[in-house]
Each structure stands twice: as structure tokens, then as C-alpha cells.
Amino acid sequence: MQAVRNAQPLHESTQWETSALDLDAYLARIDYRGPLAPSLETLTALQQAHLAAVPFENLEIVTGGEIRIDLESLQDKLVRRRRGGYCHEQNTLFATVLDRLGFEVAGRNARMLMGEDASVVTPLGHTLLVVKVAGHDWMVDVGVGNVGPREPIRLEADREVSHGPWEYRLERSPLGYWLLRHKRLGEWFNIYQFSDEPCYRADSGEYNYLASRHPGSPFVRRIVAQHNGAEIRLALTDLELKIFRPGQAPELQRIEADALPDVLRQRFGLALTPEQERALLQRAETLVETTSEGEQLGT
């Protein structure tokens, strides 16, 4: 989805909904006061600020609501109501912000692996971004939960980078895709793979529908909240909270069902309405004996 930069603009369906963006409200939401020029420095700082402020979560689905990715819905939920979201929401909003600031930003769609071998063909379904800045293409993703990169990664095969204590590698997979990997306890963990084919808002809309409604989707079947922190990362799946620290095995905490709203407020900054809390607790009561083991959510 290339930002329009020519005398004959493409149809609006190929563009981000930039004109309707409340940029000041978004910058206040992520508590960002840094530079806004379309530079690599700005891109990196915005990505880190967004990840610090906006958690990854699916609570609208599990409390009976609907996920929409038109800009007005995204601004209402992620900005005004200070909620989080998953990839289709977060990266669509972030792309719109970047486009407003003058970055050349395009969508991509990835095949999630989350530990699977890179020769395995998984379905398309994850929205990410490619941003052209400083003369190069950079992979940017604010919507892949606790496992994702915290800074742009230059699209270049066999490139290894450190984002603070977290290590990533971008290479070519056996299928010829870009392959994003994350080092865990000395081993490379496959996150996802993607091609250079553009992904448009219409594509993300279809994938969002499946993610939020298909009975096999983990976002339909599970309660999910994650946070991609600079030093500590969190992953809540149903009534299990995993705490990730660099170079250490994750710490697992089991949560009582009635404590879930407090955990969401205190650990993820997520405040639900009383009606949503009641729906969440009803859902949680059915999950007392479940485990997140083997779930493909980056945990």
C-alpha cells in the first residue's frame, strides 16, 4: 500500500485514511514528544513509544464486541478509549500515522510460524508494514504481541540486530520469503515469513474478519493480552500469565478467574467497562482447567 507521491493518485482504496487522523490525540496516547520529521530516528522512537503504551489484546472479541479496522473505529478504541488491539488494528493505525508524517509506508501480509519450521506453509493472516526511509526498506511491526521487534529492521538477508537485550534475525526462508526470527535461550525461534507483495486495507479487512470470527482462530478461543516491554515482556493466555526476561526461561503464574480484571488493569493498563468485565468473568469461569501450552500466540 504505497503512500501517494505522484501527480496521478491511485484510487482511495489503495491509500491510508490519513486525512481523518487526529495526530495530536495519537501522540498524546503514546506519550510521544520527540521529533516528527520522516527519519529513521523518528520511526524508531515512534515504534518504541507505541509498543510501550498500546498493548496487544483481543478482549473486544471475548466480551461480545466487534473488531473493525476503519480509522474512526481504530481511533475510538486504541486512542480515545485507551485500549489495545491485534495486528490488523495496530499496524493499520500506525501506518496511517506514518503516512501523515510523510513516510512512504506499505502493508505486507505474513504467514505466522510461531516456532514452526520455515518449510511449513501456514495461512496468510498477519498484517505488518514496510517503510522506505534513509534510502532503504525497513520492516516495521507494532502488532505481533510480546515476541515482536521493538525497532525497524532493514530488509536485508542474514541481518542480525539487537533491540536492547532482545535479538532478531531476518533471512530468506526455504520457500523464498523473508523470515523473521527471534533468539530465545540461545536458539532461533521462527516468528513469521512474508513476501514483497503489497497488502491493502481490503486485504487486512478480510484477514481481520477471519481472526475475529472464525471458530478456529485463537483470538476467538482464548483470552489474550500481551505487552512488548523494553526489559520485561508479558503474555496472558486465558488464566496463565508468562513473564519473559532476557536469557531466562519464562516465569509462569496461574491467575484466579476473579482476579483477571485486576491483572489486566495493573499489568497491561487495560480498563474494561462493567459490562465487559462481567462478560470476561463469565468466560474466565469456563477456563479454570485449560492451559495455553502449544497455542500459536507467540508465548
Side-chain angles (χ1 to χ4, degrees):
M1 191 186 299
Q2 295 289 343
V4 175
R5 297 290 185 270
N6 55 60
Q8 296 181 323
L10 299 174
H11 189 269
E12 63 179 14
S13 63
T14 69
Q15 304 168 35
W16 307 104
E17 297 177 279
T18 309
S19 62
L21 176 71
D22 186 341
L23 180 61
D24 289 341
Y26 170 80
L27 295 175
R29 168 71 173 97
I30 67 171
D31 194 26
Y32 182 79
R33 300 178 181 85
L36 295 176
S39 66
L40 184 59
E41 175 191 9
T42 298
L43 179 61
T44 301
L46 283 169
Q47 182 172 354
Q48 292 173 338
H50 182 107
L51 289 170
V54 187
F56 181 95
E57 51 109 334
N58 74 329
L59 301 179
E60 207 73 15
I61 300 171
V62 299
T63 57
E66 180 183 10
I67 301 293
R68 299 175 58 113
I69 62 167
D70 61 280
L71 184 61
E72 176 52 33
S73 297
L74 294 176
Q75 292 190 115
D76 178 60
K77 183 186 176 204
L78 277 68
V79 178
R80 291 192 286 271
R81 290 195 281 135
R82 303 183 69 83
R83 289 280 305 282
Y86 55 25
C87 66
H88 310 301
E89 299 171 275
Q90 298 218 35
N91 281 317
T92 299
L93 176 62
F94 197 59
T96 307
V97 171
L98 296 180
D99 187 67
R100 174 70 165 270
L101 294 176
F103 288 94
E104 186 175 340
V105 54
R108 295 287 187 273
N109 203 271
R111 301 176 184 274
M112 298 301 293
L113 291 169
M114 289 303 177
E116 287 275 11
D117 188 272
S119 61
V120 174
V121 178
T122 57
L124 288 168
H126 174 73
T127 296
L128 68 135
L129 307 172
V130 171
V131 181
K132 186 177 290 295
V133 64
H136 299 284
D137 287 337
W138 301 77
M139 191 211 83
V140 174
D141 195 342
V142 295
V144 69
N146 72 302
V147 75
R150 290 182 46 80
E151 302 176 17
I153 300 177
R154 183 167 154 181
L155 275 183
E156 184 178 87
D158 303 321
R159 189 170 189 85
E160 293 187 18
V161 296
S162 295
H163 297 167
W166 312 100
E167 297 179 71
Y168 292 89
R169 177 177 173 84
L170 196 62
E171 59 186 64
R172 287 292 189 176
S173 78
L175 300 176
Y177 297 120
W178 293 106
L179 173 66
L180 178 64
R181 312 182 81 190
H182 169 46
K183 185 171 281 189
R184 283 185 167 182
L185 300 177
E187 301 291 333
W188 286 107
F189 175 88
N190 295 333
I191 300 178
Y192 55 63
Q193 54 187 336
F194 61 98
S195 74
D196 292 316
E197 182 177 356
C199 173
Y200 298 94
R201 282 190 288 123
D203 299 317
S204 293
E206 288 295 299
Y207 296 129
N208 173 61
Y209 183 87
L210 290 173
S212 63
R213 294 175 180 267
H214 194 286
S217 168
F219 300 111
V220 172
R221 295 185 293 105
R222 300 292 203 179
I223 297 170
V224 178
Q226 300 184 9
H227 187 259
N228 184 344
E231 300 294 334
I232 296 176
R233 295 178 167 185
L234 305 173
L236 174 75
T237 307
D238 291 338
L239 298 177
E240 290 183 354
L241 176 65
K242 288 184 180 179
I243 303 171
F244 294 82
R245 298 178 176 86
Q248 300 180 32
E251 175 189 344
L252 175 63
Q253 297 180 0
R254 188 79 181 176
I255 298 168
E256 296 295 330
D258 59 3
L260 191 55
D262 285 338
V263 170
L264 291 170
R265 277 192 297 269
Q266 295 168 11
R267 303 306 296 265
F268 298 93
L270 292 168
L272 303 180
T273 66
E275 294 77 15
Q276 288 175 318
E277 281 198 6
R278 285 193 291 271
L280 182 71
L281 288 172
Q282 289 177 351
R283 178 72 173 266
E285 291 290 349
T286 70
L287 301 171
V288 173
E289 300 302 323
T290 65
T291 175
S292 66
E293 196 66 33
E295 190 62 83
Q296 298 298 298
L297 287 166
T299 62

XYZ file of all heavy atoms in Angstrom, residues 67-107:
333
model
N -14.530 -6.276 16.171
C -13.291 -5.612 15.776
C -13.481 -5.019 14.387
O -13.802 -5.731 13.428
C -12.106 -6.601 15.735
C -11.896 -7.258 17.095
C -10.842 -5.881 15.270
C -11.434 -6.333 18.168
N -13.292 -3.707 14.277
C -13.363 -3.003 12.998
C -12.038 -2.274 12.783
O -11.442 -1.774 13.748
C -14.518 -2.012 12.987
C -15.891 -2.651 13.174
C -16.953 -1.574 13.268
N -16.942 -0.739 12.060
C -17.921 -0.699 11.166
N -18.997 -1.443 11.338
N -17.858 0.083 10.119
N -11.606 -2.179 11.511
C -10.311 -1.540 11.269
C -10.420 -0.298 10.389
O -9.416 0.159 9.836
C -9.276 -2.529 10.695
C -9.704 -3.078 9.343
C -9.001 -3.655 11.683
C -8.580 -3.806 8.618
N -11.613 0.289 10.254
C -11.692 1.623 9.671
C -11.079 2.593 10.670
O -11.059 2.351 11.885
C -13.134 1.995 9.357
C -14.003 2.015 10.605
O -14.426 0.922 11.046
O -14.224 3.104 11.156
N -10.570 3.716 10.188
C -9.799 4.603 11.040
C -10.611 5.142 12.209
O -10.096 5.244 13.336
C -9.221 5.764 10.223
C -8.323 6.700 11.026
C -7.110 5.974 11.586
C -7.892 7.892 10.184
N -11.864 5.501 12.009
C -12.658 6.032 13.106
C -12.782 5.019 14.237
O -12.663 5.358 15.422
C -14.042 6.446 12.618
C -14.984 6.940 13.721
C -14.387 8.032 14.599
O -13.591 8.857 14.102
O -14.721 8.046 15.810
N -13.010 3.753 13.881
C -13.100 2.706 14.905
C -11.775 2.523 15.632
O -11.737 2.340 16.855
C -13.540 1.384 14.270
O -14.838 1.486 13.716
N -10.676 2.563 14.886
C -9.359 2.399 15.495
C -9.047 3.542 16.451
O -8.515 3.328 17.547
C -8.282 2.322 14.410
C -8.338 1.093 13.501
C -7.280 1.193 12.415
C -8.152 -0.187 14.306
N -9.364 4.768 16.038
C -9.090 5.904 16.910
C -9.964 5.873 18.157
O -9.505 6.194 19.255
C -9.295 7.215 16.151
C -8.270 7.434 15.056
C -8.324 8.834 14.473
O -7.387 9.601 14.602
N -9.435 9.166 13.831
N -11.218 5.457 17.997
C -12.102 5.380 19.150
C -11.585 4.358 20.155
O -11.528 4.635 21.363
C -13.518 5.011 18.708
C -14.453 4.867 19.888
O -14.632 5.841 20.633
O -14.987 3.748 20.089
N -11.172 3.197 19.671
C -10.772 2.129 20.584
C -9.363 2.316 21.127
O -9.144 2.350 22.344
C -10.871 0.775 19.872
C -10.540 -0.411 20.777
C -10.506 -1.705 19.988
C -10.090 -2.851 20.893
N -9.511 -3.968 20.123
N -8.377 2.431 20.244
C -6.983 2.442 20.675
C -6.533 3.784 21.233
O -5.637 3.838 22.089
C -6.062 2.035 19.516
C -5.892 0.528 19.262
C -7.180 -0.087 18.748
C -4.760 0.273 18.277
N -7.131 4.872 20.759
C -6.710 6.204 21.195
C -7.638 6.741 22.283
O -7.223 6.950 23.423
C -6.639 7.174 19.989
C -6.255 8.575 20.463
C -5.630 6.662 18.960
N -8.909 6.962 21.955
C -9.805 7.608 22.920
C -10.123 6.704 24.113
O -10.149 7.172 25.256
C -11.087 8.065 22.230
C -10.865 9.222 21.258
C -12.170 9.838 20.810
N -12.895 9.008 19.855
C -12.731 9.063 18.528
N -11.849 9.912 18.007
N -13.438 8.296 17.720
N -10.399 5.430 23.862
C -10.723 4.519 24.969
C -9.483 3.853 25.553
O -9.587 3.051 26.473
C -11.721 3.460 24.494
C -13.099 4.034 24.215
C -14.128 2.938 24.101
N -14.099 2.268 22.811
C -14.149 0.951 22.616
N -14.208 0.135 23.654
N -14.129 0.443 21.396
N -8.316 4.157 25.000
C -7.029 3.692 25.533
C -6.969 2.178 25.677
O -6.425 1.639 26.646
C -6.717 4.383 26.870
C -6.695 5.895 26.774
C -6.301 6.527 28.093
N -4.895 6.255 28.398
C -3.869 6.965 27.916
N -4.094 7.981 27.088
N -2.638 6.665 28.260
N -7.514 1.487 24.689
C -7.450 0.040 24.650
C -6.281 -0.404 23.764
O -5.551 0.415 23.212
C -8.779 -0.506 24.115
C -9.940 -0.360 25.100
C -9.917 -1.451 26.148
N -9.907 -2.741 25.482
C -10.984 -3.331 24.938
N -12.165 -2.733 25.010
N -10.889 -4.505 24.337
N -6.112 -1.699 23.629
C -5.120 -2.236 22.724
C -5.795 -2.900 21.544
O -6.968 -2.672 21.270
N -5.051 -3.758 20.866
C -5.600 -4.470 19.724
C -4.592 -5.454 19.187
O -3.488 -5.585 19.713
N -4.986 -6.151 18.119
C -4.030 -7.074 17.500
C -3.513 -6.491 16.198
O -3.690 -5.301 15.920
C -4.602 -8.480 17.368
C -5.913 -8.665 16.639
C -6.377 -7.771 15.683
C -6.705 -9.791 16.898
C -7.564 -7.985 15.005
C -7.900 -10.007 16.233
C -8.324 -9.108 15.286
O -9.496 -9.317 14.616
N -2.834 -7.306 15.390
C -2.018 -6.783 14.285
C -2.785 -5.925 13.300
O -2.321 -4.851 12.896
C -1.318 -7.920 13.553
S -2.428 -9.068 12.680
N -3.977 -6.358 12.882
C -4.716 -5.623 11.850
C -5.113 -4.234 12.352
O -5.139 -3.273 11.581
C -5.947 -6.418 11.425
C -5.648 -7.840 11.078
N -4.759 -8.184 10.089
C -6.097 -9.008 11.604
C -4.673 -9.510 10.018
N -5.474 -10.023 10.920
N -5.391 -4.127 13.625
C -5.736 -2.832 14.208
C -4.495 -1.962 14.389
O -4.430 -0.818 13.922
C -6.405 -3.042 15.570
C -7.694 -3.844 15.523
C -8.166 -4.180 16.919
O -7.716 -5.197 17.495
O -8.990 -3.409 17.449
N -3.511 -2.496 15.075
C -2.364 -1.680 15.470
C -1.524 -1.224 14.275
O -1.133 -0.051 14.192
C -1.495 -2.453 16.463
C -2.228 -2.787 17.747
C -1.354 -2.674 18.969
O -0.492 -1.824 19.058
N -1.586 -3.552 19.934
N -1.246 -2.121 13.355
C -0.402 -1.730 12.231
C -1.143 -0.836 11.231
O -0.527 0.004 10.573
C 0.182 -2.961 11.546
C 1.372 -3.513 12.312
O 2.227 -2.772 12.774
N 1.418 -4.834 12.465
N -2.464 -0.994 11.121
C -3.223 -0.086 10.263
C -3.198 1.329 10.830
O -2.994 2.307 10.100
C -4.673 -0.581 10.098
O -4.664 -1.876 9.476
C -5.480 0.374 9.232
N -3.408 1.456 12.131
C -3.332 2.775 12.757
C -1.927 3.359 12.644
O -1.758 4.536 12.293
C -3.749 2.674 14.224
C -3.634 3.969 15.037
C -4.542 5.053 14.470
C -3.964 3.709 16.514
N -0.914 2.557 12.935
C 0.464 3.045 12.901
C 0.859 3.471 11.488
O 1.519 4.501 11.301
C 1.408 1.964 13.421
C 2.768 2.472 13.812
C 2.906 3.438 14.794
C 3.907 1.973 13.207
C 4.170 3.908 15.172
C 5.172 2.442 13.567
C 5.299 3.411 14.556
N 0.440 2.718 10.485
C 0.735 3.086 9.096
C 0.110 4.427 8.739
O 0.720 5.252 8.042
C 0.225 2.008 8.149
N -1.113 4.655 9.219
C -1.792 5.916 8.937
C -1.043 7.089 9.567
O -0.894 8.157 8.957
C -3.240 5.856 9.448
O -3.882 4.682 8.919
C -4.031 7.077 9.023
N -0.549 6.893 10.769
C 0.256 7.922 11.432
C 1.524 8.202 10.630
O 1.879 9.359 10.369
C 0.610 7.487 12.867
C 1.631 8.445 13.482
C -0.644 7.410 13.734
N 2.218 7.134 10.221
C 3.463 7.311 9.470
C 3.214 8.014 8.141
O 3.984 8.887 7.726
C 4.124 5.950 9.235
C 4.590 5.200 10.484
C 5.214 3.868 10.091
C 5.570 6.020 11.309
N 2.140 7.646 7.473
C 1.809 8.291 6.203
C 1.556 9.787 6.412
O 2.002 10.624 5.616
C 0.581 7.614 5.601
C 0.276 8.113 4.204
O 1.081 7.848 3.286
O -0.757 8.787 4.027
N 0.853 10.119 7.481
C 0.571 11.525 7.796
C 1.868 12.309 8.000
O 1.960 13.489 7.640
C -0.308 11.589 9.042
C -0.562 12.997 9.579
C -1.479 13.812 8.658
N -1.976 14.975 9.376
C -3.092 14.988 10.088
N -3.842 13.883 10.188
N -3.485 16.086 10.691
N 2.876 11.664 8.554
C 4.139 12.331 8.839
C 5.066 12.395 7.624
O 6.143 12.987 7.704
C 4.853 11.630 9.996
C 4.149 11.714 11.355
C 4.894 10.901 12.396
C 3.992 13.157 11.805
N 4.654 11.779 6.511
C 5.444 11.863 5.296
C 6.293 10.651 4.981
O 7.082 10.665 4.034
N 6.143 9.578 5.745
C 6.848 8.336 5.436
C 6.173 7.641 4.259
O 4.958 7.761 4.067
C 6.826 7.382 6.636
C 7.697 7.788 7.784
C 7.175 8.529 8.842
C 9.038 7.426 7.831
C 7.968 8.899 9.914
C 9.843 7.782 8.903
C 9.304 8.527 9.940
N 6.935 6.892 3.503
C 6.394 6.027 2.451
C 6.197 4.645 3.067
O 7.158 3.941 3.366
C 7.350 5.965 1.263
C 6.778 5.203 0.071
C 7.701 5.259 -1.131
O 8.564 6.152 -1.195
O 7.549 4.387 -2.017
N 4.955 4.259 3.289
C 4.657 3.054 4.055
C 3.699 2.164 3.282
O 2.725 2.627 2.690
C 4.083 3.413 5.449
C 2.881 4.335 5.336
C 3.722 2.181 6.236
N 3.994 0.871 3.279
C 3.181 -0.117 2.569
C 2.867 -1.294 3.479
O 3.650 -1.624 4.377
C 3.921 -0.613 1.323
N 1.717 -1.914 3.266
C 1.347 -3.094 4.025
C 1.946 -4.359 3.438
O 2.239 -4.445 2.238
